[in-house]
Amino acid sequence: MSREEMRELQGKRLHKLVSLVYHNTPFYRKKMQEMNILPEDIRTIDDIVKLPFTTKQDLRDNYPYGLLAAPRSEIVRIHASSGTTGVPTVVGYTRRDLSIWQEAIARCMTAYGVTRDDVFSVGYGYGLFTGGLGAHYGVEHLGATVIPTSTGNTQKHIRLIRDLGITGIACTPSYALYLAEAIEKSGIPKKDIHLRIGAFGAEPWTENMRKETEYRLGLNAYNLYGLSEIMGPGVSHECECKNGSHIVEDHFYPEIISPDTLETLPYGQEGELVLTTLTKEGMPLLRYRTKDLCSLIEGKCDCGRTSIRMTPIKGRSDDMLIIRGINVFPSQVESVVLEMEELEPHYMLIVDRVNNTDKLEVQVEVKPEFFSDSLNQMLELKKRIGHRLQSVLTISAEVKLMEPQSLERSEGKSKHVIDKRVLA
């Protein structure tokens, strides 16, 4: 499409979307009434700046079904991601939503060069996380053969890659490097591995990681971007040019705003990515603040596509960490620390990448009356903290018990995270 055609389509879809949420989602109707906005005020895509923003906190405040725009009888699937306080972010999909999601992923795979002749392994986690089922049905929609390997059992995965002639894989970039290392250790000859395409996402990665993965696995590595609140993977994708990720903008309208002033920024200027779901029925979102920092690229790509592209994510405007594909907030750790009588309200998260796998260490201070020379007592406390953290974070963390007054204090804003992962 030309830019004019795309903007006309986006405007029509935005008008329909605003009418849908105004009449079916009390949260948005109240927001728009407070701003003195009616659906008929939104006619073109330029009118989107008149609409309210949506934040992750809004999703939590309306948990579980408050943001649905379709009757629950029409919701055929629900996914969820972890939240800062243990309240998950719940997303509902209608049958049409799932059909659009499949199409979006199929577009991504087509841009990577996947065809019906490919055998594709989906190594994302299945279940409440959107990665596994999202990629699965998209690849299937394209007509390629899907192997739902999911996470874990790497040795079996390696055997299937060899025996089934798997040519493509979707997983986190860190797992791809871990897989490469495992294949090398297995002694399987490189000629027996036929991987040619990798769709990697769900966590930050670098150009150096891309080059290393491509060399060690013998494939072309492409970025796959998405987030559960908007749809899941498939919001944007790279093409063979690898010069920014093409946004599927007939379904997801992108904006860049200043995190401080909330004003819309021009193309090329870095800020916070904001997305609007133009065609979603189950739980559509207006101007959702992703907290991801990047910029937008306009102009026709060398691949021939005319869609707006986004640069790689440079960071976040909040304190969320992405560890092994899971969203982790320091406030989640804080909630555990504050509920345990043995612990002081001081903690530190140390994130590192060891052997291409993200590791999380949580340092906690033990109160003087509970700090003991008894190894068994300390091990029991460490075990209890570890179990509680895993139940809240949904990933394992190495707990390190610290002596009283050993963690650094600050008179200003406390620092609770040290991220040693190098993303350059």
Side-chain angles (χ1 to χ4, degrees), residues 171-188:
C171 63
T172 62
S174 58
Y175 181 70
L177 280 174
Y178 177 79
L179 194 63
E181 187 177 82
I183 290 174
E184 290 162 1
K185 288 180 179 178
S186 72
I188 296 176

mmCIF file of all heavy atoms in Angstrom, residues 171-188:
data_model
loop_
_atom_site.group_PDB
_atom_site.id
_atom_site.type_symbol
_atom_site.label_atom_id
_atom_site.label_comp_id
_atom_site.label_asym_id
_atom_site.label_seq_id
_atom_site.Cartn_x
_atom_site.Cartn_y
_atom_site.Cartn_z
ATOM 1 N N CYS A 171 12.485 -19.165 18.924
ATOM 2 C CA CYS A 171 12.808 -19.273 20.353
ATOM 3 C C CYS A 171 13.440 -17.971 20.802
ATOM 4 O O CYS A 171 13.586 -17.036 20.014
ATOM 5 C CB CYS A 171 13.756 -20.457 20.606
ATOM 6 S SG CYS A 171 15.373 -20.324 19.798
ATOM 7 N N THR A 172 13.834 -17.902 22.062
ATOM 8 C CA THR A 172 14.566 -16.731 22.532
ATOM 9 C C THR A 172 15.988 -16.778 21.968
ATOM 10 O O THR A 172 16.529 -17.867 21.747
ATOM 11 C CB THR A 172 14.637 -16.687 24.067
ATOM 12 O OG1 THR A 172 15.344 -17.837 24.535
ATOM 13 C CG2 THR A 172 13.242 -16.656 24.681
ATOM 14 N N PRO A 173 16.606 -15.636 21.730
ATOM 15 C CA PRO A 173 17.972 -15.638 21.201
ATOM 16 C C PRO A 173 18.979 -16.296 22.133
ATOM 17 O O PRO A 173 19.929 -16.942 21.679
ATOM 18 C CB PRO A 173 18.282 -14.155 20.988
ATOM 19 C CG PRO A 173 17.259 -13.410 21.767
ATOM 20 C CD PRO A 173 16.049 -14.275 21.817
ATOM 21 N N SER A 174 18.777 -16.167 23.440
ATOM 22 C CA SER A 174 19.709 -16.804 24.375
ATOM 23 C C SER A 174 19.592 -18.323 24.301
ATOM 24 O O SER A 174 20.593 -19.034 24.400
ATOM 25 C CB SER A 174 19.479 -16.304 25.801
ATOM 26 O OG SER A 174 18.155 -16.540 26.217
ATOM 27 N N TYR A 175 18.363 -18.824 24.107
ATOM 28 C CA TYR A 175 18.213 -20.274 23.984
ATOM 29 C C TYR A 175 18.819 -20.775 22.679
ATOM 30 O O TYR A 175 19.360 -21.885 22.623
ATOM 31 C CB TYR A 175 16.735 -20.687 24.058
ATOM 32 C CG TYR A 175 16.562 -22.196 23.958
ATOM 33 C CD1 TYR A 175 16.958 -23.026 25.001
ATOM 34 C CD2 TYR A 175 16.031 -22.783 22.816
ATOM 35 C CE1 TYR A 175 16.828 -24.407 24.919
ATOM 36 C CE2 TYR A 175 15.896 -24.163 22.718
ATOM 37 C CZ TYR A 175 16.298 -24.966 23.770
ATOM 38 O OH TYR A 175 16.177 -26.334 23.677
ATOM 39 N N ALA A 176 18.768 -19.966 21.628
ATOM 40 C CA ALA A 176 19.370 -20.364 20.358
ATOM 41 C C ALA A 176 20.868 -20.582 20.524
ATOM 42 O O ALA A 176 21.432 -21.560 19.998
ATOM 43 C CB ALA A 176 19.099 -19.301 19.294
ATOM 44 N N LEU A 177 21.523 -19.689 21.277
ATOM 45 C CA LEU A 177 22.959 -19.855 21.511
ATOM 46 C C LEU A 177 23.235 -21.052 22.419
ATOM 47 O O LEU A 177 24.218 -21.774 22.232
ATOM 48 C CB LEU A 177 23.541 -18.573 22.123
ATOM 49 C CG LEU A 177 23.833 -17.452 21.126
ATOM 50 C CD1 LEU A 177 24.259 -16.181 21.850
ATOM 51 C CD2 LEU A 177 24.912 -17.865 20.133
ATOM 52 N N TYR A 178 22.370 -21.266 23.385
ATOM 53 C CA TYR A 178 22.508 -22.439 24.247
ATOM 54 C C TYR A 178 22.357 -23.719 23.424
ATOM 55 O O TYR A 178 23.106 -24.692 23.606
ATOM 56 C CB TYR A 178 21.450 -22.398 25.349
ATOM 57 C CG TYR A 178 21.457 -23.606 26.258
ATOM 58 C CD1 TYR A 178 22.390 -23.736 27.289
ATOM 59 C CD2 TYR A 178 20.525 -24.626 26.086
ATOM 60 C CE1 TYR A 178 22.407 -24.840 28.120
ATOM 61 C CE2 TYR A 178 20.530 -25.741 26.920
ATOM 62 C CZ TYR A 178 21.464 -25.844 27.930
ATOM 63 O OH TYR A 178 21.471 -26.933 28.745
ATOM 64 N N LEU A 179 21.419 -23.701 22.495
ATOM 65 C CA LEU A 179 21.192 -24.842 21.618
ATOM 66 C C LEU A 179 22.414 -25.088 20.732
ATOM 67 O O LEU A 179 22.828 -26.237 20.530
ATOM 68 C CB LEU A 179 19.956 -24.585 20.757
ATOM 69 C CG LEU A 179 19.339 -25.770 20.008
ATOM 70 C CD1 LEU A 179 18.824 -26.816 20.980
ATOM 71 C CD2 LEU A 179 18.197 -25.272 19.117
ATOM 72 N N ALA A 180 23.000 -24.000 20.236
ATOM 73 C CA ALA A 180 24.200 -24.134 19.396
ATOM 74 C C ALA A 180 25.325 -24.801 20.174
ATOM 75 O O ALA A 180 26.023 -25.687 19.650
ATOM 76 C CB ALA A 180 24.640 -22.754 18.905
ATOM 77 N N GLU A 181 25.484 -24.380 21.413
ATOM 78 C CA GLU A 181 26.529 -24.960 22.263
ATOM 79 C C GLU A 181 26.262 -26.441 22.524
ATOM 80 O O GLU A 181 27.180 -27.276 22.479
ATOM 81 C CB GLU A 181 26.577 -24.198 23.575
ATOM 82 C CG GLU A 181 27.711 -24.582 24.490
ATOM 83 C CD GLU A 181 27.731 -23.726 25.754
ATOM 84 O OE1 GLU A 181 26.964 -24.040 26.678
ATOM 85 O OE2 GLU A 181 28.487 -22.742 25.792
ATOM 86 N N ALA A 182 25.007 -26.787 22.762
ATOM 87 C CA ALA A 182 24.641 -28.177 23.029
ATOM 88 C C ALA A 182 24.851 -29.052 21.793
ATOM 89 O O ALA A 182 25.287 -30.207 21.905
ATOM 90 C CB ALA A 182 23.187 -28.251 23.483
ATOM 91 N N ILE A 183 24.551 -28.506 20.625
ATOM 92 C CA ILE A 183 24.765 -29.256 19.379
ATOM 93 C C ILE A 183 26.249 -29.528 19.183
ATOM 94 O O ILE A 183 26.665 -30.635 18.822
ATOM 95 C CB ILE A 183 24.180 -28.488 18.169
ATOM 96 C CG1 ILE A 183 22.644 -28.499 18.228
ATOM 97 C CG2 ILE A 183 24.663 -29.097 16.850
ATOM 98 C CD1 ILE A 183 21.976 -27.650 17.164
ATOM 99 N N GLU A 184 27.072 -28.509 19.456
ATOM 100 C CA GLU A 184 28.527 -28.677 19.312
ATOM 101 C C GLU A 184 29.052 -29.745 20.273
ATOM 102 O O GLU A 184 29.888 -30.566 19.907
ATOM 103 C CB GLU A 184 29.218 -27.334 19.550
ATOM 104 C CG GLU A 184 28.960 -26.317 18.440
ATOM 105 C CD GLU A 184 29.259 -24.879 18.860
ATOM 106 O OE1 GLU A 184 29.685 -24.675 20.024
ATOM 107 O OE2 GLU A 184 29.040 -23.972 18.050
ATOM 108 N N LYS A 185 28.542 -29.749 21.496
ATOM 109 C CA LYS A 185 28.990 -30.739 22.480
ATOM 110 C C LYS A 185 28.509 -32.147 22.133
ATOM 111 O O LYS A 185 29.131 -33.140 22.515
ATOM 112 C CB LYS A 185 28.485 -30.353 23.868
ATOM 113 C CG LYS A 185 29.185 -29.151 24.479
ATOM 114 C CD LYS A 185 28.631 -28.846 25.862
ATOM 115 C CE LYS A 185 29.348 -27.658 26.497
ATOM 116 N NZ LYS A 185 28.775 -27.316 27.837
ATOM 117 N N SER A 186 27.385 -32.240 21.419
ATOM 118 C CA SER A 186 26.820 -33.547 21.083
ATOM 119 C C SER A 186 27.655 -34.297 20.054
ATOM 120 O O SER A 186 27.534 -35.524 19.919
ATOM 121 C CB SER A 186 25.394 -33.385 20.546
ATOM 122 O OG SER A 186 25.411 -32.827 19.235
ATOM 123 N N GLY A 187 28.483 -33.562 19.329
ATOM 124 C CA GLY A 187 29.316 -34.200 18.319
ATOM 125 C C GLY A 187 28.610 -34.438 16.998
ATOM 126 O O GLY A 187 29.174 -35.061 16.081
ATOM 127 N N ILE A 188 27.368 -33.950 16.857
ATOM 128 C CA ILE A 188 26.657 -34.114 15.584
ATOM 129 C C ILE A 188 27.349 -33.280 14.512
ATOM 130 O O ILE A 188 27.584 -32.086 14.713
ATOM 131 C CB ILE A 188 25.185 -33.672 15.728
ATOM 132 C CG1 ILE A 188 24.451 -34.575 16.714
ATOM 133 C CG2 ILE A 188 24.478 -33.681 14.379
ATOM 134 C CD1 ILE A 188 23.024 -34.149 16.987
#
